[in-house]
């Protein structure tokens, strides 16, 4: 996350962003421009969203990728991939307030923000059960799962043959997560 562009209220931000060509995140009155991702970044997002969507078909859960905001008490963020189980069919909503699973695909410019600040903000959501960080350049996969008494447990799945998402009872081969993705620096 870079320097804020300007400050406004949450209501003003929603109206303002509807008029913008690019996506912006908003927190505590400040607006932050979203940077574009690489082809590798986008490929992993699409791989995850399509496989998770197939898995959730016929359930009350839905997967969204990149363009739907998560509503926080003091702002709005754009996760790369998220699952909500609030209703079975998508409508015209632009906000989700009850994600069960959030996945961030890391970029060199945002990985510190996603690991630290975004995770702190997402943990304020009572519905969140799992937070996943995927670095497509080095194929690093870290899964944080909500445990007893509100603590978060980290399982490094980097060397695993499959990505295990307990929150939605899905085991996905790592080759499916990284299909079509070159290794190396982003």
């Amino acid at each position: 996350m870079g320097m804020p562009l300007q400050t406004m209220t949450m209501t003003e931000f929603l109206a303002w962003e509807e008029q913008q060509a690019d996506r912006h995140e908003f927190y505590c009155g400040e607006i932050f421009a979203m940077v574009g991702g690489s082809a590798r970044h986008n490929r992993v997002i699409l791989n995850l969203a399509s496989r998770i969507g197939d898995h959730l078909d016929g359930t009350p859960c839905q997967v969204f990728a990149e363009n739907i905001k998560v509503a926080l008490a003091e702002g709005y963020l754009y996760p790369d991939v998220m699952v909500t189980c609030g209703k079975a069919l998508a409508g015209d909503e632009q906000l989700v307030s009850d994600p069960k699973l959030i996945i961030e695909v890391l970029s060199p410019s945002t990985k510190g923000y996603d690991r630290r600040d975004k995770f702190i903000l997402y943990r304020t959501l009572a519905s969140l059960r799992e937070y996943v960080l995927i670095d497509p350049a080095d194929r690093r996969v870290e899964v944080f799962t909500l445990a007893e008494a509100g603590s978060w447990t980290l399982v490094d799945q980097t060397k695993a043959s499959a990505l295990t998402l307990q929150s939605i009872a899905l085991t996905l081969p790592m080759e499916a997560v990284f299909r079509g993705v070159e290794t190396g620096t982003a």
Side-chain angles (χ1 to χ4, degrees), residues 1 45 50 52 69 77 82 84 92 105 114 121 129 140 146 160 162 168 174 177-178:
M1 183 185 287
I45 291 169
S50 67
I52 291 170
K69 294 181 277 294
L77 301 176
M82 75 172 141
T84 180
D92 288 336
V105 178
D114 290 340
L121 296 173
R129 295 296 172 261
R140 181 161 205 75
L146 184 62
I168 59 171
M174 286 296 183
V177 172
F178 295 109

Side-chain angles (χ1 to χ4, degrees), residues 25-26 68-70 72 75-79 113 118 121-122:
E25 292 191 329
F26 177 84
I68 301 294
K69 294 181 277 294
V70 168
L72 303 167
Y76 306 103
L77 301 176
Y78 281 98
Y113 170 60
K118 255 189 169 177
L121 296 173
Y122 286 144

Side-chain angles (χ1 to χ4, degrees), residues 147-162:
E148 301 281 327
S151 63
W152 289 85
T153 302
L154 165 63
V155 176
D156 186 337
Q157 296 186 19
T158 301
K159 296 191 186 303
S161 62

